[in-house]
């Protein structure tokens, strides 16, 4: 084999290698940012993308939703309570050119912005607000972080505070507060029950007072209920009017219709 043939074979292999290196297969959720001799040429994809070897350089950007786990952050709330909070930020790249050109490492930048925003935002609220309005706090964090990352072509989808760790002394204080609150509600409910019972008893007394024999019937009914449940001797005072009524009913009647005394 001559030298010319060897050179032609080598050149052909080099050309084939260069042609293969010029082909890029970009998936649907990816984009390729192309630089030609250091100058931005735009974002390409998805599908088959041709890149000039040696002259053009590429940066791959993923458009899927990514997650940045914020490590536990120690902060002081507005009411001077020290807490530790963990959170997660869900974001996606909406402008691959900005994500490559405007910032060196957008993933690291999102994480740092999320950490500082978490401490600054939660430090402006009291502990009760953080625990009771967690959804509103998450929305506020989302809006603040999204506004900071918008120049980088990043859209914050969601922010979730996963865990709020309280000191042991604060947990005990909150437990005592919850117990006191339950006792207060129990007393209020008992007082409401006494008030309603008193109203019903007042209405019942009014009904019995309108009929003289109602009190006697109620007394006899109570005696019957007690006697059926308890086998014991009862001493119960009988009203005078009951004895008078019984004596009048037992006295013989006179010819003119009056009873004999």
């Amino acid at each position: 084999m001559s030298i010319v043939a060897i050179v032609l074979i080598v050149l052909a292999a080099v050309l084939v290698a260069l042609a293969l290196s010029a082909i890029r297969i970009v998936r649907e959720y990816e984009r390729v940012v192309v630089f030609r001799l250091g100058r931005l040429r735009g974002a390409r994809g998805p599908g088959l993308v041709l890149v000039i070897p040696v002259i053009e350089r590429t940066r791959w950007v993923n458009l899927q939703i990514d997650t940045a786990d914020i490590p536990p952050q120690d902060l002081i709330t507005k009411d001077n309570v020290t807490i530790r909070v963990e959170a997660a930020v869900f974001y996606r790249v909406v402008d691959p050119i900005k994500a490559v050109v405007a910032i060196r490492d957008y993933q690291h930048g999102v994480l740092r912005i999320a950490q500082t925003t978490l401490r600054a935002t939660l430090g402006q609220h009291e502990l009760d607000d953080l625990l009771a309005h967690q959804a509103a706090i998450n929305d506020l964090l989302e809006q603040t972080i999204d506004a900071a990352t918008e120049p980088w072509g990043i859209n914050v989808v969601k922010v979730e505070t996963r865990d709020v760790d309280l000191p042991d002394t604060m947990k005990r204080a909150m437990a005592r507060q919850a117990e006191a609150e339950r006792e207060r509600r129990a007393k209020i409910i008992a007082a409401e029950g006494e008030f309603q019972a008193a109203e019903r008893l007042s209405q019942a007394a009014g009904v019995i007072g309108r009929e003289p024999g109602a009190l006697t019937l109620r007394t006899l009914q109570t005696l019957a209920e007690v006697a059926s449940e308890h086998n014991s001797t009862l001493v119960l005072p009988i009203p005078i009017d009951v004895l008078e009524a019984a004596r009048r009913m037992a006295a013989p009647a006179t010819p003119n219709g009056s009873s004999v005394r």
Side-chain angles (χ1 to χ4, degrees), residues 47 55 59 74 82 135 139 168 174 215 217 234 240:
I55 297 177
R59 286 279 303 273
D74 294 326
T82 303
D139 293 339
D168 293 337
M174 294 178 66
L215 181 59
L217 294 176
L234 298 178
I240 299 298

Side-chain angles (χ1 to χ4, degrees), residues 71-77 81-86 118-119 165:
Q73 301 293 311
D74 294 326
L75 55 94
I76 301 177
T77 61
V81 178
T82 303
I83 60 175
R84 173 172 292 187
V85 180
E86 295 183 23
L118 181 68
R119 289 194 296 265
D165 190 10

Side-chain angles (χ1 to χ4, degrees), residues 166-185:
L166 302 175
D168 293 337
T169 55
M170 181 55 62
K171 292 180 181 178
R172 291 193 293 268
M174 294 178 66
R176 292 194 299 269
Q177 180 182 0
E179 184 178 357
E181 178 66 19
R182 288 193 296 269
E183 291 180 356
R184 183 184 69 86
R185 294 179 181 178

Side-chain angles (χ1 to χ4, degrees), residues 109-210:
V110 170
L111 179 61
R112 293 303 180 190
I113 284 291
Q115 288 179 352
T116 56
T117 303
L118 181 68
R119 289 194 296 265
T121 303
L122 298 187
Q124 299 175 359
H125 294 79
E126 296 183 355
L127 179 61
D128 292 341
D129 293 337
L130 298 181
L131 299 177
H133 306 93
Q134 191 171 3
I137 298 297
N138 292 339
D139 293 339
L140 179 60
L141 289 172
E142 178 186 339
Q143 296 174 5
T144 306
I145 299 174
D146 184 65
T149 58
E150 183 179 3
W152 306 340
I154 306 297
N155 173 240
V156 177
V157 179
K158 191 176 183 180
V159 178
E160 286 290 340
T161 54
R162 296 183 297 181
D163 188 20
V164 179
D165 190 10
L166 302 175
D168 293 337
T169 55
M170 181 55 62
K171 292 180 181 178
R172 291 193 293 268
M174 294 178 66
R176 292 194 299 269
Q177 180 182 0
E179 184 178 357
E181 178 66 19
R182 288 193 296 269
E183 291 180 356
R184 183 184 69 86
R185 294 179 181 178
K187 292 180 180 179
I188 291 176
I189 293 174
E192 289 289 339
E194 292 291 341
F195 179 75
Q196 295 177 5
E199 285 188 340
R200 292 298 183 182
L201 289 174
S202 177
Q203 296 174 2
V207 172
I208 293 175
R210 289 194 296 268

Side-chain angles (χ1 to χ4, degrees), residues 56-69:
E56 293 183 341
R57 294 289 185 267
T58 60
R59 286 279 303 273
W60 293 72
V61 179
N62 194 316
L63 303 184
Q64 293 175 306
I65 295 177
D66 201 355
T67 305
D69 293 328

